[in-house]
Amino acid sequence: MNTAQMTGVRVRDGFRVAAGWGLGLLLPTVLFSTLLTFTSERASRCLTYGEECAAVPGWLLYGSFWASLVAGLAMLVWPRARWTGARAGALLVQWGAQLLLAALILSYA
């Protein structure tokens, strides 16, 4: 057994911390990006008259949201000792999908 498990000392896992921060910031990122988008003239014109709307497909928005959420949850439950390269890849997918989601929402502005 690991000595950290036997003594009760918790070892901090940087991947899990980053995944937790990503999950915690997912909804505030969406809300802040949406609020910032609604303050632009282009977005208000799109909502009011249906003109100058961005051509971003809805499935891309939903897909990036769910990809970020699923990758973050997978990182939180993934065992620390297994496949550290895949864990790093899942973390990159999570943050990449989250940044893509924010960029897509802001593209309406």
Side-chain angles (χ1 to χ4, degrees), residues 3-103:
T3 57
Q5 290 175 345
M6 291 178 10
T7 60
V9 176
R10 296 192 64 173
V11 178
R12 188 173 170 181
D13 184 11
F15 286 138
R16 283 202 177 127
V17 170
W21 273 100
L23 285 174
L25 290 174
L26 182 60
L27 287 179
T29 299
V30 169
L31 293 176
F32 181 72
S33 298
T34 305
L35 180 66
L36 193 62
T37 299
F38 283 152
T39 61
S40 72
E41 182 181 339
R42 181 178 173 191
S44 63
R45 190 159 188 80
C46 176
L47 287 174
T48 307
Y49 303 113
E51 299 172 353
E52 297 182 25
C53 296
V56 176
W59 62 267
L60 192 56
L61 290 168
Y62 294 122
S64 58
F65 176 82
W66 287 108
S68 178
L69 183 68
V70 168
L73 290 175
M75 274 297 306
L76 288 181
V77 299
W78 205 312
R80 183 183 334 186
R82 293 188 175 187
W83 303 319
T84 55
R87 291 178 72 214
L91 187 64
L92 287 174
V93 167
Q94 176 195 5
W95 280 95
Q98 189 165 343
L99 291 174
L100 175 67
L101 177 63

